[in-house]
Amino acid sequence: MEDTQSVATLIDSTTSKIQQLQKAFAELESHRAITLNLKWKQLEEHFHGLEKSLKRRFTELEDQEKEYETKTMEAWEMLEKREAAVMAKEQASLERLQEKRDAAVSAIANALQKHRKISSGEPAAFNIEDQGGAPSVEEKPPDVMVAESNLVDMRKTSVNECVEVKSYPQLVDLCREMDSEGLHKFISDNRKNLSAIREEIPLALKAAADPASLVLDSLNGFYCMEVSNLDGKKDSNLLGLRRTCIMLLECLSILLTNLDRSSASHIVSENVRERAKAVVEEWKPKLDDLDVDANNGNSLEAHAFLQLLSTFGIDSDFDHDDLSKLVPMVSRRRQTADLCRSLGLSDKMPGVINVLVNNGRQIDAVNLAFEFELMKQFSPVTLLKSYLNDAKKISSSVKTGNSSPTVQNEVNERELTALKAVIKCIEDHKLEAQFPLDPLQKRVLQLEKAKADKKRAPEVAKPLPKRPRANGVGHSPRVTNVAADKNIYARTTDRYPQYMYDRPYVYPRPTDNHVPSLLGSAGYAMPPPGHGNFFGNGFQYQAVQTPYLH
């Protein structure tokens, strides 16, 4: 406001200034011979015009200032109203939160009071039949009672209750009807959404009258009598059926884990346990007939056998040394570590890792060493370097000899697969600081470039057909060997698939490690062939295209 008043004062003094200027101009005119009246009139009009313009502009600025002040006041009033509304909402939220806290504290106090009554002398468990259907109560520590206070109502419900499955309600119907064949067919038809189905099967099994018997019934056909072991490795339908059997066993195990002891014992009754033992006795002799392919760390037969023992809790009938012999046969399965823990084989892992190392399967050994925290006993970097050294030795010996181009290509492909497997293992276990990746990645680029150059070579050397003569009579194109024009490396990827953790671990392995009498009484030992034979034995892993990925 002070600036505005000063500007107004200066504008008002303009008239007096003009009068003073007029007197000075008249005095100047008196000293000149020629009159200056015309010039003064022009100056006077100019100054009066400036005065009017300044006054008009000043008035406009005053109006704009008043308008701005009005809008500012309105904005402040709106902000105050909004602030009051927000504070009211916060207060209401705090009150509701306090009510919920009080209710939670009350529930915890009631649970602790019930536990004290149980511990003070009341019976720890009640028989449902003797007490007229009263729910069973198990004695647990206070912290467990508090943590499970919100799950009491859910665990009191019947195991055979109807469970709401959001995505696939058909699963509930199939389980309620105890239709194992229909369950297999439904899973096969919806194998593209297998991960979602896997999550809902444990819930759907609750609707079955006898979930354990349903899963045991689903194991029929796991060993098809019409298919030999060798043909079974190539039969995609049989492989899919076996993977589904393993998944159902795992889902039943999840269901039993989420139930209390009394409910779990009700599902796995003594009758069901005897049925499971009969299936185990039927499967056990078949494991001794497995061929070399069963020992590549991805044996579905061995996996199903171990999962069956774990799910139904019947592993106590077997010696741990005998069971540990099966672990190298499933070392590339993602469930191996959990299976070993549930079967109590953790103390047998050093022996299992030694077997894997002696058979040239250092990457499997590294994975299990990390799972069971045995890195000090089995250095991951040392094992990976040994794995690469074996590949380099074979590659060097082939290049210095007079091997055919096909053999050299296969050896280079094995080295490339080994490099990629080691890189993946280093990245997954974060070993970059101990084992730099740059040299390995450069070598991979070299091998891939050489592979691409060799693939282009047959196309460049392919002869062109002769041009026909002008008279219409010409030589017909020479018929060449059709096989020579095909890409001779087309099946390389199938023979040596890349190493992946999501699926069973895949990389070349030796063929001279048959495991006779897997469940016999012999001690834990497997023949340790030299590492040099690992990459030079011509073993080729045939990747089977199946509709299942679990």
Side-chain angles (χ1 to χ4, degrees):
M1 293 299 294
E2 293 180 357
D3 294 339
T4 305
Q5 293 176 358
S6 61
V7 173
T9 303
L10 290 175
I11 292 176
D12 294 338
S13 64
T14 303
T15 304
S16 62
K17 298 290 184 181
I18 293 175
Q19 292 175 357
Q20 293 176 6
L21 182 60
Q22 183 180 5
K23 291 179 181 179
F25 197 82
E27 184 179 355
L28 178 63
E29 186 180 14
S30 64
H31 293 284
R32 296 180 62 85
I34 304 173
T35 178
L36 298 174
N37 288 333
L38 180 61
K39 293 183 178 180
W40 167 246
K41 290 181 180 179
Q42 293 176 351
L43 290 174
E44 186 177 14
E45 290 177 357
H46 174 70
F47 282 115
H48 280 297
L50 289 176
E51 181 182 8
K52 292 179 180 179
S53 177
L54 287 173
K55 287 183 178 180
R56 184 175 66 254
R57 183 60 180 163
F58 180 73
T59 303
E60 292 176 355
L61 290 174
E62 282 185 333
D63 294 340
Q64 291 179 2
E65 183 179 5
K66 291 179 181 179
E67 183 180 359
Y68 174 75
E69 290 178 353
T70 303
K71 291 182 178 180
T72 303
M73 291 298 296
E74 292 177 355
W76 276 110
E77 291 177 359
M78 185 179 297
L79 286 175
E80 290 178 355
K81 291 180 180 179
R82 291 183 179 179
E83 184 178 1
V86 170
M87 292 180 64
K89 290 181 179 180
E90 290 181 351
Q91 184 65 28
S93 298
L94 289 175
E95 291 176 357
R96 288 195 299 269
L97 181 60
Q98 186 63 36
E99 292 176 358
K100 292 181 179 180
R101 288 179 178 176
D102 295 341
V105 171
S106 177
I108 293 173
N110 292 335
L112 290 174
Q113 186 177 4
K114 291 179 181 179
H115 176 70
R116 292 192 186 98
K117 289 181 179 180
I118 294 174
S119 302
S120 61
E122 296 182 6
F126 301 93
N127 190 308
I128 296 179
E129 298 178 355
D130 296 341
Q131 301 296 332
S136 62
V137 180
E138 292 184 359
E139 186 175 2
K140 297 182 180 179
D143 55 345
V144 178
M145 293 291 293
V146 174
E148 295 181 353
S149 61
N150 295 329
L151 301 177
V152 172
D153 294 337
M154 182 178 67
R155 288 187 172 182
K156 286 181 180 179
T157 57
S158 174
V159 177
N160 297 330
E161 65 182 351
C162 180
V163 181
E164 180 182 359
V165 178
K166 297 181 180 179
S167 301
Y168 299 97
Q170 302 93 326
L171 289 173
V172 177
D173 297 335
L174 292 171
C175 292
R176 185 183 294 111
E177 296 170 2
M178 297 290 289
D179 187 358
S180 60
E181 295 182 0
L183 191 59
H184 268 281
K185 185 178 184 302
F186 180 82
I187 295 173
S188 177
D189 294 342
N190 296 274
R191 56 184 177 273
K192 292 183 178 180
N193 302 319
L194 198 59
S195 58
I197 292 176
R198 185 198 300 269
E199 294 178 358
E200 295 193 355
I201 288 178
L203 298 176
L205 286 175
K206 291 183 178 181
D210 191 348
S213 295
L214 175 62
V215 173
L216 285 176
D217 292 340
S218 70
L219 301 181
N220 294 332
F222 188 90
Y223 283 98
C224 183
M225 301 302 295
E226 300 176 357
V227 180
S228 63
N229 283 334
L230 182 59
D231 295 336
K233 300 299 178 182
K234 302 177 182 180
D235 189 344
S236 60
N237 293 329
L238 180 58
L239 291 175
L241 183 145
R242 288 177 174 178
R243 290 189 175 94
T244 301
C245 291
I246 293 174
M247 185 181 70
L248 292 175
L249 286 170
E250 292 173 350
C251 292
L252 178 61
S253 179
I254 294 173
L255 172 62
L256 296 174
T257 303
N258 294 331
L259 296 176
D260 55 21
R261 184 177 301 176
S262 60
S263 299
S265 61
H266 176 74
I267 292 178
V268 185
S269 60
E270 191 63 29
N271 183 27
V272 171
R273 197 182 300 272
E274 292 299 325
R275 284 188 58 194
K277 289 182 180 180
V279 175
V280 169
E281 293 297 327
E282 180 184 354
W283 285 6
K284 183 172 66 173
K286 300 180 184 296
L287 295 177
D288 296 333
D289 300 331
L290 295 179
D291 56 7
V292 174
D293 290 339
N295 291 328
N296 66 355
N298 187 27
S299 172
L300 296 177
E301 296 91 330
H303 185 182
F305 185 85
L306 294 175
Q307 187 66 57
L308 180 61
L309 296 179
S310 174
T311 300
F312 290 91
I314 52 179
D315 56 288
S316 59
D317 296 340
F318 293 87
D319 184 70
H320 283 185
D321 290 334
D322 293 336
L323 294 179
S324 61
K325 294 179 182 180
L326 298 176
V327 177
M329 303 174 67
V330 297
S331 57
R332 296 182 191 178
R333 307 290 293 174
R334 61 179 175 81
Q335 307 93 332
T336 299
D338 293 335
L339 270 178
C340 292
R341 294 188 185 97
S342 64
L343 294 172
L345 301 179
S346 298
D347 58 336
K348 301 295 181 180
M349 285 303 106
V352 172
I353 295 175
N354 273 323
V355 171
L356 294 173
V357 172
N358 292 334
N359 287 276
R361 292 164 58 184
Q362 289 89 336
I363 291 184
D364 282 354
V366 171
N367 294 329
L368 288 180
F370 272 95
E371 285 286 348
F372 293 92
E373 298 182 355
L374 298 173
M375 291 82 74
K376 293 183 179 180
Q377 187 174 351
F378 301 94
S379 172
V381 175
T382 303
L383 294 177
L384 294 177
K385 288 182 177 180
S386 172
Y387 182 68
L388 286 179
N389 289 335
D390 293 339
K392 292 178 181 178
K393 288 178 183 178
I394 298 301
S395 178
S396 300
S397 62
V398 171
K399 290 180 180 179
T400 55
N402 296 325
S403 301
S404 63
T406 303
V407 175
Q408 292 180 358
N409 294 337
E410 291 181 356
V411 172
N412 289 341
E413 186 66 27
R414 293 180 187 182
E415 183 182 357
L416 179 61
T417 303
L419 285 167
K420 291 181 179 180
V422 171
I423 291 174
K424 185 71 168 60
C425 187
I426 292 173
E427 292 175 345
D428 289 342
H429 298 300
K430 296 178 174 56
L431 298 172
E432 291 88 344
Q434 306 174 44
F435 201 155
L437 293 176
D438 290 342
L440 303 180
Q441 292 172 345
K442 290 179 180 178
R443 179 58 178 164
V444 168
L445 293 176
Q446 292 176 359
L447 292 174
E448 288 182 342
K449 184 178 182 300
K451 177 181 176 181
D453 293 341
K454 291 179 180 179
K455 284 184 177 181
R456 287 193 295 266
E459 298 178 0
V460 175
K462 182 178 179 180
L464 296 175
K466 293 185 178 181
R467 297 176 60 184
R469 296 182 180 179
N471 58 5
V473 179
H475 298 283
S476 61
R478 184 178 60 185
V479 179
T480 59
N481 187 1
V482 179
D485 295 336
K486 292 184 179 179
N487 189 351
I488 61 175
Y489 306 100
R491 298 294 295 173
T492 299
T493 305
D494 293 340
R495 288 199 301 266
Y496 308 104
Q498 293 188 4
Y499 191 94
M500 297 189 301
Y501 276 83
D502 296 337
R503 296 193 63 190
Y505 310 129
V506 177
Y507 54 86
R509 63 164 317 282
T511 60
D512 50 351
N513 60 347
H514 292 273
V515 186
S517 185
L518 293 172
L519 294 176
S521 59
Y524 188 95
M526 298 181 72
H531 293 278
N533 294 333
F534 173 60
F535 286 94
N537 55 19
F539 175 76
Q540 300 174 355
Y541 175 82
Q542 296 291 339
V544 180
Q545 298 294 333
T546 67
Y548 291 85
L549 296 177
H550 58 282

